[in-house]
Amino acid sequence: QVQLVESGGGLVQAGGSLRLLCAASGRTFSIYRMGWFRQAPGKEREFVAAISWSGAPTYYADSVKGRFTISRDNAKNTVYLQMNSLKPEDTAVYYCAVAYRGSYYQDTAYDYWGQGTRVTVSS
């Protein structure tokens, strides 16, 4: 069993930055693939970014490439999502998730999910 707790969300103006954190329980954090997904009101959950167990490679949705950076610290059992140049369309609830195998991009490949942290970007 893995428990995930996200934090770092909030309200920010367009062009601003936020850093999301996801703290994971479990002794074997280092073997997990970690992903960030988001769900905006009235829309389906979508892939944002993912990172392999070693920290590389990383994967990004086209919509966030060049603006968001995913990283992890296995010693702290934490994965981060640095979000820069935020846009109103980035407004969503952001979820982190754990996968052992399968596609990095598909939410069906992820086995455990956090409760989410809300990000609101005002124009």
Side-chain angles (χ1 to χ4, degrees):
Q1 191 78 8
V2 177
Q3 293 183 334
L4 303 171
V5 179
E6 302 97 334
S7 62
L11 173 64
V12 63
Q13 289 188 334
S17 299
L18 283 174
R19 189 189 194 201
L20 304 185
L21 289 80
C22 175
S25 65
R27 297 181 292 112
T28 55
F29 174 80
S30 61
I31 71 171
Y32 305 154
R33 300 177 173 186
M34 301 295 298
W36 285 98
F37 290 76
R38 67 187 181 187
Q39 187 166 20
K43 296 187 176 180
E44 294 187 351
R45 186 166 57 191
E46 64 175 0
F47 169 79
V48 175
I51 189 166
S52 70
W53 68 271
S54 65
T58 55
Y59 306 84
Y60 297 95
D62 288 342
S63 59
V64 307
K65 202 171 293 183
R67 300 187 298 122
F68 290 11
T69 302
I70 188 171
S71 61
R72 67 190 294 165
D73 185 337
N74 288 344
K76 296 182 178 180
N77 287 3
T78 301
V79 64
Y80 306 93
L81 186 67
Q82 178 67 43
M83 306 187 297
N84 298 329
S85 302
L86 283 161
K87 305 175 181 180
E89 51 264 44
D90 294 318
T91 295
V93 177
Y94 284 70
Y95 300 90
C96 70
V98 165
Y100 295 99
R101 62 188 64 84
S103 170
Y104 282 93
Y105 299 95
Q106 295 179 350
D107 58 358
T108 53
Y110 289 78
D111 300 285
Y112 299 100
W113 293 82
Q115 293 300 306
T117 185
R118 185 175 301 276
V119 172
T120 303
V121 184
S122 62
S123 58

